[in-house]
PDB file of all heavy atoms in Angstrom:
ATOM      1  N   ILE A   8     -56.443  58.200 -22.379  1.00 96.00           N
ATOM      2  CA  ILE A   8     -56.558  57.681 -21.019  1.00 96.00           C
ATOM      3  C   ILE A   8     -55.205  57.882 -20.354  1.00 96.00           C
ATOM      4  O   ILE A   8     -54.184  57.412 -20.858  1.00 96.00           O
ATOM      5  CB  ILE A   8     -56.961  56.195 -21.007  1.00 96.00           C
ATOM      6  CG1 ILE A   8     -58.357  55.998 -21.611  1.00 96.00           C
ATOM      7  CG2 ILE A   8     -56.914  55.623 -19.603  1.00 96.00           C
ATOM      8  CD1 ILE A   8     -58.806  54.545 -21.676  1.00 96.00           C
ATOM      9  N   GLU A   9     -55.207  58.600 -19.262  1.00 91.00           N
ATOM     10  CA  GLU A   9     -53.989  58.893 -18.499  1.00 91.00           C
ATOM     11  C   GLU A   9     -52.904  59.465 -19.400  1.00 91.00           C
ATOM     12  O   GLU A   9     -51.726  59.079 -19.303  1.00 91.00           O
ATOM     13  CB  GLU A   9     -53.509  57.630 -17.774  1.00 91.00           C
ATOM     14  CG  GLU A   9     -54.503  57.118 -16.731  1.00 91.00           C
ATOM     15  CD  GLU A   9     -53.988  55.914 -15.986  1.00 91.00           C
ATOM     16  OE1 GLU A   9     -52.907  55.388 -16.327  1.00 91.00           O
ATOM     17  OE2 GLU A   9     -54.692  55.468 -15.056  1.00 91.00           O
ATOM     18  N   GLY A  10     -53.293  60.409 -20.267  1.00 93.00           N
ATOM     19  CA  GLY A  10     -52.330  61.115 -21.089  1.00 93.00           C
ATOM     20  C   GLY A  10     -51.857  60.367 -22.330  1.00 93.00           C
ATOM     21  O   GLY A  10     -51.040  60.899 -23.104  1.00 93.00           O
ATOM     22  N   ARG A  11     -52.378  59.153 -22.574  1.00 95.00           N
ATOM     23  CA  ARG A  11     -51.977  58.375 -23.755  1.00 95.00           C
ATOM     24  C   ARG A  11     -53.128  58.337 -24.746  1.00 95.00           C
ATOM     25  O   ARG A  11     -54.287  58.131 -24.371  1.00 95.00           O
ATOM     26  CB  ARG A  11     -51.616  56.942 -23.361  1.00 95.00           C
ATOM     27  CG  ARG A  11     -50.291  56.810 -22.641  1.00 95.00           C
ATOM     28  CD  ARG A  11     -50.048  55.369 -22.278  1.00 95.00           C
ATOM     29  NE  ARG A  11     -48.664  54.985 -22.488  1.00 95.00           N
ATOM     30  CZ  ARG A  11     -48.150  53.816 -22.157  1.00 95.00           C
ATOM     31  NH1 ARG A  11     -48.921  52.892 -21.613  1.00 95.00           N
ATOM     32  NH2 ARG A  11     -46.886  53.548 -22.389  1.00 95.00           N
ATOM     33  N   THR A  12     -52.807  58.526 -26.024  1.00 95.00           N
ATOM     34  CA  THR A  12     -53.789  58.391 -27.084  1.00 95.00           C
ATOM     35  C   THR A  12     -53.815  56.926 -27.506  1.00 95.00           C
ATOM     36  O   THR A  12     -52.801  56.392 -27.961  1.00 95.00           O
ATOM     37  CB  THR A  12     -53.445  59.286 -28.276  1.00 95.00           C
ATOM     38  OG1 THR A  12     -53.356  60.643 -27.826  1.00 95.00           O
ATOM     39  CG2 THR A  12     -54.517  59.171 -29.353  1.00 95.00           C
ATOM     40  N   LEU A  13     -54.978  56.272 -27.335  1.00 96.00           N
ATOM     41  CA  LEU A  13     -55.042  54.823 -27.465  1.00 96.00           C
ATOM     42  C   LEU A  13     -55.900  54.382 -28.632  1.00 96.00           C
ATOM     43  O   LEU A  13     -56.911  55.011 -28.960  1.00 96.00           O
ATOM     44  CB  LEU A  13     -55.560  54.204 -26.171  1.00 96.00           C
ATOM     45  CG  LEU A  13     -54.699  54.473 -24.917  1.00 96.00           C
ATOM     46  CD1 LEU A  13     -55.329  53.812 -23.699  1.00 96.00           C
ATOM     47  CD2 LEU A  13     -53.272  53.974 -25.131  1.00 96.00           C
ATOM     48  N   TYR A  14     -55.489  53.250 -29.214  1.00 93.00           N
ATOM     49  CA  TYR A  14     -56.155  52.660 -30.356  1.00 93.00           C
ATOM     50  C   TYR A  14     -56.391  51.165 -30.122  1.00 93.00           C
ATOM     51  O   TYR A  14     -56.037  50.611 -29.092  1.00 93.00           O
ATOM     52  CB  TYR A  14     -55.285  52.835 -31.610  1.00 93.00           C
ATOM     53  CG  TYR A  14     -55.083  54.259 -32.058  1.00 93.00           C
ATOM     54  CD1 TYR A  14     -54.078  55.056 -31.523  1.00 93.00           C
ATOM     55  CD2 TYR A  14     -55.905  54.829 -33.047  1.00 93.00           C
ATOM     56  CE1 TYR A  14     -53.872  56.360 -31.941  1.00 93.00           C
ATOM     57  CE2 TYR A  14     -55.710  56.142 -33.489  1.00 93.00           C
ATOM     58  CZ  TYR A  14     -54.705  56.897 -32.925  1.00 93.00           C
ATOM     59  OH  TYR A  14     -54.494  58.195 -33.339  1.00 93.00           O
ATOM     60  N   ASP A  15     -56.914  50.531 -31.164  1.00 91.00           N
ATOM     61  CA  ASP A  15     -57.289  49.119 -31.139  1.00 91.00           C
ATOM     62  C   ASP A  15     -56.137  48.206 -30.732  1.00 91.00           C
ATOM     63  O   ASP A  15     -54.997  48.359 -31.207  1.00 91.00           O
ATOM     64  CB  ASP A  15     -57.780  48.718 -32.528  1.00 91.00           C
ATOM     65  CG  ASP A  15     -58.560  47.427 -32.523  1.00 91.00           C
ATOM     66  OD1 ASP A  15     -57.958  46.368 -32.287  1.00 91.00           O
ATOM     67  OD2 ASP A  15     -59.772  47.467 -32.778  1.00 91.00           O
ATOM     68  N   ALA A  16     -56.442  47.224 -29.892  1.00 90.00           N
ATOM     69  CA  ALA A  16     -55.454  46.262 -29.431  1.00 90.00           C
ATOM     70  C   ALA A  16     -54.906  45.382 -30.547  1.00 90.00           C
ATOM     71  O   ALA A  16     -53.800  44.854 -30.442  1.00 90.00           O
ATOM     72  CB  ALA A  16     -56.067  45.371 -28.356  1.00 90.00           C
ATOM     73  N   GLY A  17     -55.699  45.225 -31.632  1.00 87.00           N
ATOM     74  CA  GLY A  17     -55.287  44.313 -32.695  1.00 87.00           C
ATOM     75  C   GLY A  17     -53.966  44.649 -33.329  1.00 87.00           C
ATOM     76  O   GLY A  17     -53.306  43.773 -33.907  1.00 87.00           O
ATOM     77  N   VAL A  18     -53.528  45.891 -33.223  1.00 88.00           N
ATOM     78  CA  VAL A  18     -52.272  46.301 -33.816  1.00 88.00           C
ATOM     79  C   VAL A  18     -51.081  45.633 -33.122  1.00 88.00           C
ATOM     80  O   VAL A  18     -50.104  45.274 -33.776  1.00 88.00           O
ATOM     81  CB  VAL A  18     -52.118  47.834 -33.768  1.00 88.00           C
ATOM     82  CG1 VAL A  18     -50.769  48.278 -34.342  1.00 88.00           C
ATOM     83  CG2 VAL A  18     -53.273  48.525 -34.487  1.00 88.00           C
ATOM     84  N   THR A  19     -51.173  45.472 -31.815  1.00 93.00           N
ATOM     85  CA  THR A  19     -50.016  44.992 -31.047  1.00 93.00           C
ATOM     86  C   THR A  19     -50.247  43.679 -30.300  1.00 93.00           C
ATOM     87  O   THR A  19     -49.296  42.922 -30.068  1.00 93.00           O
ATOM     88  CB  THR A  19     -49.597  46.051 -30.005  1.00 93.00           C
ATOM     89  OG1 THR A  19     -50.749  46.452 -29.252  1.00 93.00           O
ATOM     90  CG2 THR A  19     -48.972  47.264 -30.691  1.00 93.00           C
ATOM     91  N   ASP A  20     -51.485  43.408 -29.902  1.00 93.00           N
ATOM     92  CA  ASP A  20     -51.732  42.199 -29.079  1.00 93.00           C
ATOM     93  C   ASP A  20     -53.193  41.783 -29.253  1.00 93.00           C
ATOM     94  O   ASP A  20     -54.028  42.050 -28.393  1.00 93.00           O
ATOM     95  CB  ASP A  20     -51.419  42.473 -27.623  1.00 93.00           C
ATOM     96  CG  ASP A  20     -51.372  41.200 -26.785  1.00 93.00           C
ATOM     97  OD1 ASP A  20     -51.553  40.101 -27.341  1.00 93.00           O
ATOM     98  OD2 ASP A  20     -51.178  41.315 -25.557  1.00 93.00           O
ATOM     99  N   ASN A  21     -53.476  41.098 -30.333  1.00 92.00           N
ATOM    100  CA  ASN A  21     -54.866  40.771 -30.650  1.00 92.00           C
ATOM    101  C   ASN A  21     -55.395  39.565 -29.883  1.00 92.00           C
ATOM    102  O   ASN A  21     -56.591  39.303 -29.906  1.00 92.00           O
ATOM    103  CB  ASN A  21     -55.022  40.508 -32.154  1.00 92.00           C
ATOM    104  CG  ASN A  21     -56.459  40.630 -32.592  1.00 92.00           C
ATOM    105  OD1 ASN A  21     -57.103  41.644 -32.350  1.00 92.00           O
ATOM    106  ND2 ASN A  21     -56.966  39.590 -33.244  1.00 92.00           N
ATOM    107  N   LEU A  22     -54.538  38.839 -29.213  1.00 95.00           N
ATOM    108  CA  LEU A  22     -54.960  37.667 -28.430  1.00 95.00           C
ATOM    109  C   LEU A  22     -54.185  37.716 -27.102  1.00 95.00           C
ATOM    110  O   LEU A  22     -53.144  37.080 -26.982  1.00 95.00           O
ATOM    111  CB  LEU A  22     -54.687  36.388 -29.208  1.00 95.00           C
ATOM    112  CG  LEU A  22     -55.433  35.111 -28.779  1.00 95.00           C
ATOM    113  CD1 LEU A  22     -56.933  35.307 -28.810  1.00 95.00           C
ATOM    114  CD2 LEU A  22     -55.041  33.939 -29.681  1.00 95.00           C
ATOM    115  N   PRO A  23     -54.682  38.452 -26.105  1.00 96.00           N
ATOM    116  CA  PRO A  23     -53.864  38.825 -24.943  1.00 96.00           C
ATOM    117  C   PRO A  23     -53.684  37.757 -23.887  1.00 96.00           C
ATOM    118  O   PRO A  23     -54.155  37.859 -22.742  1.00 96.00           O
ATOM    119  CB  PRO A  23     -54.619  40.042 -24.380  1.00 96.00           C
ATOM    120  CG  PRO A  23     -56.056  39.782 -24.754  1.00 96.00           C
ATOM    121  CD  PRO A  23     -56.012  39.085 -26.100  1.00 96.00           C
ATOM    122  N   VAL A  24     -52.938  36.725 -24.252  1.00 97.00           N
ATOM    123  CA  VAL A  24     -52.661  35.615 -23.338  1.00 97.00           C
ATOM    124  C   VAL A  24     -51.791  36.087 -22.178  1.00 97.00           C
ATOM    125  O   VAL A  24     -52.036  35.751 -21.018  1.00 97.00           O
ATOM    126  CB  VAL A  24     -51.982  34.469 -24.093  1.00 97.00           C
ATOM    127  CG1 VAL A  24     -51.483  33.390 -23.116  1.00 97.00           C
ATOM    128  CG2 VAL A  24     -52.952  33.848 -25.096  1.00 97.00           C
ATOM    129  N   ASP A  25     -50.763  36.883 -22.472  1.00 96.00           N
ATOM    130  CA  ASP A  25     -49.874  37.353 -21.402  1.00 96.00           C
ATOM    131  C   ASP A  25     -50.643  38.190 -20.383  1.00 96.00           C
ATOM    132  O   ASP A  25     -50.384  38.127 -19.171  1.00 96.00           O
ATOM    133  CB  ASP A  25     -48.723  38.176 -21.979  1.00 96.00           C
ATOM    134  CG  ASP A  25     -47.715  37.314 -22.725  1.00 96.00           C
ATOM    135  OD1 ASP A  25     -47.747  36.076 -22.554  1.00 96.00           O
ATOM    136  OD2 ASP A  25     -46.891  37.873 -23.480  1.00 96.00           O
ATOM    137  N   ALA A  26     -51.591  38.992 -20.857  1.00 97.00           N
ATOM    138  CA  ALA A  26     -52.384  39.811 -19.936  1.00 97.00           C
ATOM    139  C   ALA A  26     -53.239  38.923 -19.027  1.00 97.00           C
ATOM    140  O   ALA A  26     -53.422  39.233 -17.842  1.00 97.00           O
ATOM    141  CB  ALA A  26     -53.280  40.773 -20.717  1.00 97.00           C
ATOM    142  N   ALA A  27     -53.757  37.810 -19.570  1.00 98.00           N
ATOM    143  CA  ALA A  27     -54.536  36.882 -18.738  1.00 98.00           C
ATOM    144  C   ALA A  27     -53.649  36.222 -17.699  1.00 98.00           C
ATOM    145  O   ALA A  27     -54.058  36.038 -16.538  1.00 98.00           O
ATOM    146  CB  ALA A  27     -55.193  35.836 -19.619  1.00 98.00           C
ATOM    147  N   ARG A  28     -52.444  35.874 -18.065  1.00 98.00           N
ATOM    148  CA  ARG A  28     -51.520  35.270 -17.096  1.00 98.00           C
ATOM    149  C   ARG A  28     -51.178  36.277 -16.005  1.00 98.00           C
ATOM    150  O   ARG A  28     -51.047  35.920 -14.825  1.00 98.00           O
ATOM    151  CB  ARG A  28     -50.244  34.799 -17.793  1.00 98.00           C
ATOM    152  CG  ARG A  28     -50.454  33.622 -18.732  1.00 98.00           C
ATOM    153  CD  ARG A  28     -49.150  32.910 -19.042  1.00 98.00           C
ATOM    154  NE  ARG A  28     -49.292  32.049 -20.201  1.00 98.00           N
ATOM    155  CZ  ARG A  28     -49.899  30.871 -20.205  1.00 98.00           C
ATOM    156  NH1 ARG A  28     -50.446  30.408 -19.073  1.00 98.00           N
ATOM    157  NH2 ARG A  28     -49.979  30.147 -21.303  1.00 98.00           N
ATOM    158  N   ALA A  29     -51.000  37.542 -16.380  1.00 98.00           N
ATOM    159  CA  ALA A  29     -50.668  38.569 -15.402  1.00 98.00           C
ATOM    160  C   ALA A  29     -51.795  38.778 -14.391  1.00 98.00           C
ATOM    161  O   ALA A  29     -51.560  39.235 -13.263  1.00 98.00           O
ATOM    162  CB  ALA A  29     -50.349  39.898 -16.101  1.00 98.00           C
ATOM    163  N   LEU A  30     -53.017  38.411 -14.759  1.00 98.00           N
ATOM    164  CA  LEU A  30     -54.152  38.478 -13.834  1.00 98.00           C
ATOM    165  C   LEU A  30     -54.190  37.283 -12.870  1.00 98.00           C
ATOM    166  O   LEU A  30     -55.032  37.236 -11.994  1.00 98.00           O
ATOM    167  CB  LEU A  30     -55.460  38.526 -14.608  1.00 98.00           C
ATOM    168  CG  LEU A  30     -55.730  39.820 -15.385  1.00 98.00           C
ATOM    169  CD1 LEU A  30     -56.977  39.671 -16.250  1.00 98.00           C
ATOM    170  CD2 LEU A  30     -55.896  41.016 -14.456  1.00 98.00           C
ATOM    171  N   GLY A  31     -53.277  36.331 -13.081  1.00 97.00           N
ATOM    172  CA  GLY A  31     -53.197  35.186 -12.168  1.00 97.00           C
ATOM    173  C   GLY A  31     -53.561  33.853 -12.773  1.00 97.00           C
ATOM    174  O   GLY A  31     -53.557  32.827 -12.074  1.00 97.00           O
ATOM    175  N   ALA A  32     -53.847  33.809 -14.061  1.00 98.00           N
ATOM    176  CA  ALA A  32     -54.253  32.548 -14.696  1.00 98.00           C
ATOM    177  C   ALA A  32     -53.062  31.600 -14.821  1.00 98.00           C
ATOM    178  O   ALA A  32     -51.987  31.989 -15.279  1.00 98.00           O
ATOM    179  CB  ALA A  32     -54.835  32.818 -16.069  1.00 98.00           C
ATOM    180  N   GLY A  33     -53.289  30.352 -14.420  1.00 97.00           N
ATOM    181  CA  GLY A  33     -52.288  29.314 -14.620  1.00 97.00           C
ATOM    182  C   GLY A  33     -52.549  28.512 -15.877  1.00 97.00           C
ATOM    183  O   GLY A  33     -51.663  27.787 -16.368  1.00 97.00           O
ATOM    184  N   TYR A  34     -53.766  28.606 -16.382  1.00 97.00           N
ATOM    185  CA  TYR A  34     -54.157  27.909 -17.614  1.00 97.00           C
ATOM    186  C   TYR A  34     -55.007  28.882 -18.413  1.00 97.00           C
ATOM    187  O   TYR A  34     -56.029  29.374 -17.922  1.00 97.00           O
ATOM    188  CB  TYR A  34     -54.974  26.659 -17.276  1.00 97.00           C
ATOM    189  CG  TYR A  34     -55.362  25.819 -18.477  1.00 97.00           C
ATOM    190  CD1 TYR A  34     -54.484  24.846 -18.975  1.00 97.00           C
ATOM    191  CD2 TYR A  34     -56.595  25.970 -19.105  1.00 97.00           C
ATOM    192  CE1 TYR A  34     -54.853  24.059 -20.070  1.00 97.00           C
ATOM    193  CE2 TYR A  34     -56.950  25.191 -20.183  1.00 97.00           C
ATOM    194  CZ  TYR A  34     -56.078  24.245 -20.667  1.00 97.00           C
ATOM    195  OH  TYR A  34     -56.438  23.471 -21.750  1.00 97.00           O
ATOM    196  N   VAL A  35     -54.550  29.199 -19.643  1.00 98.00           N
ATOM    197  CA  VAL A  35     -55.228  30.215 -20.444  1.00 98.00           C
ATOM    198  C   VAL A  35     -55.876  29.590 -21.668  1.00 98.00           C
ATOM    199  O   VAL A  35     -55.195  28.949 -22.486  1.00 98.00           O
ATOM    200  CB  VAL A  35     -54.268  31.332 -20.867  1.00 98.00           C
ATOM    201  CG1 VAL A  35     -54.995  32.356 -21.745  1.00 98.00           C
ATOM    202  CG2 VAL A  35     -53.675  32.038 -19.653  1.00 98.00           C
ATOM    203  N   ILE A  36     -57.171  29.793 -21.779  1.00 98.00           N
ATOM    204  CA  ILE A  36     -57.930  29.413 -22.968  1.00 98.00           C
ATOM    205  C   ILE A  36     -58.041  30.675 -23.834  1.00 98.00           C
ATOM    206  O   ILE A  36     -58.608  31.687 -23.423  1.00 98.00           O
ATOM    207  CB  ILE A  36     -59.339  28.915 -22.587  1.00 98.00           C
ATOM    208  CG1 ILE A  36     -59.259  27.726 -21.658  1.00 98.00           C
ATOM    209  CG2 ILE A  36     -60.137  28.575 -23.853  1.00 98.00           C
ATOM    210  CD1 ILE A  36     -60.590  27.356 -21.003  1.00 98.00           C
ATOM    211  N   ALA A  37     -57.463  30.620 -25.017  1.00 97.00           N
ATOM    212  CA  ALA A  37     -57.485  31.773 -25.932  1.00 97.00           C
ATOM    213  C   ALA A  37     -58.471  31.508 -27.046  1.00 97.00           C
ATOM    214  O   ALA A  37     -58.539  30.385 -27.576  1.00 97.00           O
ATOM    215  CB  ALA A  37     -56.099  32.020 -26.509  1.00 97.00           C
ATOM    216  N   VAL A  38     -59.212  32.540 -27.426  1.00 97.00           N
ATOM    217  CA  VAL A  38     -60.225  32.421 -28.474  1.00 97.00           C
ATOM    218  C   VAL A  38     -59.868  33.380 -29.605  1.00 97.00           C
ATOM    219  O   VAL A  38     -59.973  34.596 -29.440  1.00 97.00           O
ATOM    220  CB  VAL A  38     -61.638  32.694 -27.952  1.00 97.00           C
ATOM    221  CG1 VAL A  38     -62.663  32.397 -29.053  1.00 97.00           C
ATOM    222  CG2 VAL A  38     -61.929  31.861 -26.704  1.00 97.00           C
ATOM    223  N   ASP A  39     -59.440  32.835 -30.722  1.00 94.00           N
ATOM    224  CA  ASP A  39     -59.064  33.627 -31.898  1.00 94.00           C
ATOM    225  C   ASP A  39     -60.242  33.666 -32.853  1.00 94.00           C
ATOM    226  O   ASP A  39     -60.664  32.637 -33.380  1.00 94.00           O
ATOM    227  CB  ASP A  39     -57.844  32.987 -32.577  1.00 94.00           C
ATOM    228  CG  ASP A  39     -57.468  33.670 -33.875  1.00 94.00           C
ATOM    229  OD1 ASP A  39     -57.876  34.826 -34.076  1.00 94.00           O
ATOM    230  OD2 ASP A  39     -56.753  33.046 -34.685  1.00 94.00           O
ATOM    231  N   VAL A  40     -60.786  34.856 -33.107  1.00 93.00           N
ATOM    232  CA  VAL A  40     -61.952  34.971 -33.986  1.00 93.00           C
ATOM    233  C   VAL A  40     -61.617  35.590 -35.340  1.00 93.00           C
ATOM    234  O   VAL A  40     -62.498  35.906 -36.120  1.00 93.00           O
ATOM    235  CB  VAL A  40     -63.101  35.764 -33.319  1.00 93.00           C
ATOM    236  CG1 VAL A  40     -63.652  35.014 -32.134  1.00 93.00           C
ATOM    237  CG2 VAL A  40     -62.643  37.167 -32.906  1.00 93.00           C
ATOM    238  N   ILE A  41     -60.336  35.756 -35.608  1.00 86.00           N
ATOM    239  CA  ILE A  41     -59.929  36.212 -36.937  1.00 86.00           C
ATOM    240  C   ILE A  41     -60.113  35.084 -37.951  1.00 86.00           C
ATOM    241  O   ILE A  41     -60.648  35.283 -39.035  1.00 86.00           O
ATOM    242  CB  ILE A  41     -58.470  36.708 -36.947  1.00 86.00           C
ATOM    243  CG1 ILE A  41     -58.332  37.982 -36.119  1.00 86.00           C
ATOM    244  CG2 ILE A  41     -58.014  36.964 -38.393  1.00 86.00           C
ATOM    245  CD1 ILE A  41     -59.001  39.185 -36.735  1.00 86.00           C
ATOM    246  N   GLY A  42     -59.677  33.886 -37.590  1.00 67.00           N
ATOM    247  CA  GLY A  42     -59.800  32.771 -38.520  1.00 67.00           C
ATOM    248  C   GLY A  42     -58.688  32.770 -39.535  1.00 67.00           C
ATOM    249  O   GLY A  42     -57.938  33.742 -39.677  1.00 67.00           O
ATOM    250  N   HIS A  43     -58.581  31.691 -40.284  1.00 61.00           N
ATOM    251  CA  HIS A  43     -57.516  31.555 -41.260  1.00 61.00           C
ATOM    252  C   HIS A  43     -58.090  31.106 -42.580  1.00 61.00           C
ATOM    253  O   HIS A  43     -58.852  30.159 -42.664  1.00 61.00           O
ATOM    254  CB  HIS A  43     -56.461  30.561 -40.761  1.00 61.00           C
ATOM    255  CG  HIS A  43     -55.768  31.055 -39.539  1.00 61.00           C
ATOM    256  ND1 HIS A  43     -54.711  31.925 -39.582  1.00 61.00           N
ATOM    257  CD2 HIS A  43     -56.023  30.850 -38.215  1.00 61.00           C
ATOM    258  CE1 HIS A  43     -54.328  32.213 -38.349  1.00 61.00           C
ATOM    259  NE2 HIS A  43     -55.124  31.577 -37.514  1.00 61.00           N
ATOM    260  N   ARG A  44     -57.713  31.815 -43.597  1.00 56.00           N
ATOM    261  CA  ARG A  44     -58.222  31.501 -44.936  1.00 56.00           C
ATOM    262  C   ARG A  44     -57.683  30.171 -45.422  1.00 56.00           C
ATOM    263  O   ARG A  44     -56.516  29.849 -45.228  1.00 56.00           O
ATOM    264  CB  ARG A  44     -57.791  32.597 -45.922  1.00 56.00           C
ATOM    265  CG  ARG A  44     -58.372  33.977 -45.592  1.00 56.00           C
ATOM    266  CD  ARG A  44     -59.647  34.211 -46.326  1.00 56.00           C
ATOM    267  NE  ARG A  44     -60.241  35.488 -45.938  1.00 56.00           N
ATOM    268  CZ  ARG A  44     -61.183  36.087 -46.625  1.00 56.00           C
ATOM    269  NH1 ARG A  44     -61.665  35.552 -47.710  1.00 56.00           N
ATOM    270  NH2 ARG A  44     -61.687  37.239 -46.220  1.00 56.00           N
ATOM    271  N   THR A  45     -58.552  29.430 -46.050  1.00 54.00           N
ATOM    272  CA  THR A  45     -58.134  28.143 -46.639  1.00 54.00           C
ATOM    273  C   THR A  45     -57.980  28.278 -48.153  1.00 54.00           C
ATOM    274  O   THR A  45     -57.736  27.288 -48.831  1.00 54.00           O
ATOM    275  CB  THR A  45     -59.161  27.036 -46.340  1.00 54.00           C
ATOM    276  OG1 THR A  45     -60.457  27.482 -46.811  1.00 54.00           O
ATOM    277  CG2 THR A  45     -59.236  26.785 -44.854  1.00 54.00           C
ATOM    278  N   ILE A  46     -58.161  29.497 -48.656  1.00 56.00           N
ATOM    279  CA  ILE A  46     -57.994  29.759 -50.092  1.00 56.00           C
ATOM    280  C   ILE A  46     -56.788  30.651 -50.277  1.00 56.00           C
ATOM    281  O   ILE A  46     -56.445  31.453 -49.415  1.00 56.00           O
ATOM    282  CB  ILE A  46     -59.255  30.447 -50.682  1.00 56.00           C
ATOM    283  CG1 ILE A  46     -59.567  31.746 -49.918  1.00 56.00           C
ATOM    284  CG2 ILE A  46     -60.433  29.512 -50.664  1.00 56.00           C
ATOM    285  CD1 ILE A  46     -60.710  32.534 -50.508  1.00 56.00           C
ATOM    286  N   PRO A  47     -56.078  30.512 -51.414  1.00 58.00           N
ATOM    287  CA  PRO A  47     -54.891  31.341 -51.636  1.00 58.00           C
ATOM    288  C   PRO A  47     -55.262  32.763 -51.983  1.00 58.00           C
ATOM    289  O   PRO A  47     -56.388  33.041 -52.417  1.00 58.00           O
ATOM    290  CB  PRO A  47     -54.220  30.647 -52.836  1.00 58.00           C
ATOM    291  CG  PRO A  47     -55.347  30.019 -53.580  1.00 58.00           C
ATOM    292  CD  PRO A  47     -56.325  29.569 -52.514  1.00 58.00           C
ATOM    293  N   PRO A  48     -54.331  33.721 -51.747  1.00 57.00           N
ATOM    294  CA  PRO A  48     -54.584  35.099 -52.159  1.00 57.00           C
ATOM    295  C   PRO A  48     -54.843  35.166 -53.646  1.00 57.00           C
ATOM    296  O   PRO A  48     -54.334  34.354 -54.420  1.00 57.00           O
ATOM    297  CB  PRO A  48     -53.275  35.821 -51.786  1.00 57.00           C
ATOM    298  CG  PRO A  48     -52.635  34.950 -50.750  1.00 57.00           C
ATOM    299  CD  PRO A  48     -53.032  33.553 -51.110  1.00 57.00           C
ATOM    300  N   GLY A  49     -55.613  36.150 -54.056  1.00 61.00           N
ATOM    301  CA  GLY A  49     -55.927  36.339 -55.471  1.00 61.00           C
ATOM    302  C   GLY A  49     -56.657  37.646 -55.671  1.00 61.00           C
ATOM    303  O   GLY A  49     -57.747  37.831 -55.109  1.00 61.00           O
ATOM    304  N   GLY A  50     -56.080  38.551 -56.411  1.00 63.00           N
ATOM    305  CA  GLY A  50     -56.685  39.870 -56.560  1.00 63.00           C
ATOM    306  C   GLY A  50     -56.260  40.777 -55.424  1.00 63.00           C
ATOM    307  O   GLY A  50     -55.938  40.313 -54.330  1.00 63.00           O
ATOM    308  N   ALA A  51     -56.273  42.088 -55.710  1.00 59.00           N
ATOM    309  CA  ALA A  51     -55.748  43.041 -54.726  1.00 59.00           C
ATOM    310  C   ALA A  51     -56.531  43.038 -53.425  1.00 59.00           C
ATOM    311  O   ALA A  51     -55.944  43.007 -52.330  1.00 59.00           O
ATOM    312  CB  ALA A  51     -55.751  44.446 -55.349  1.00 59.00           C
ATOM    313  N   TYR A  52     -57.862  43.037 -53.511  1.00 52.00           N
ATOM    314  CA  TYR A  52     -58.692  43.125 -52.297  1.00 52.00           C
ATOM    315  C   TYR A  52     -58.517  41.886 -51.434  1.00 52.00           C
ATOM    316  O   TYR A  52     -58.265  41.979 -50.223  1.00 52.00           O
ATOM    317  CB  TYR A  52     -60.156  43.321 -52.652  1.00 52.00           C
ATOM    318  CG  TYR A  52     -61.074  43.282 -51.455  1.00 52.00           C
ATOM    319  CD1 TYR A  52     -61.158  44.368 -50.595  1.00 52.00           C
ATOM    320  CD2 TYR A  52     -61.827  42.141 -51.166  1.00 52.00           C
ATOM    321  CE1 TYR A  52     -61.994  44.339 -49.468  1.00 52.00           C
ATOM    322  CE2 TYR A  52     -62.652  42.083 -50.062  1.00 52.00           C
ATOM    323  CZ  TYR A  52     -62.724  43.200 -49.216  1.00 52.00           C
ATOM    324  OH  TYR A  52     -63.543  43.133 -48.111  1.00 52.00           O
TER     325      TYR A  52
END
């Protein structure tokens, strides 16, 4: 797009709060759907 080769946002900004503010938002509700594990790492996978 416009001469740039583009990829997934998750690499650099997976929850774009700053982008929402730049659109004029004074109050930003962010929704994180990655979630957080409640179990410790174990095994390579």
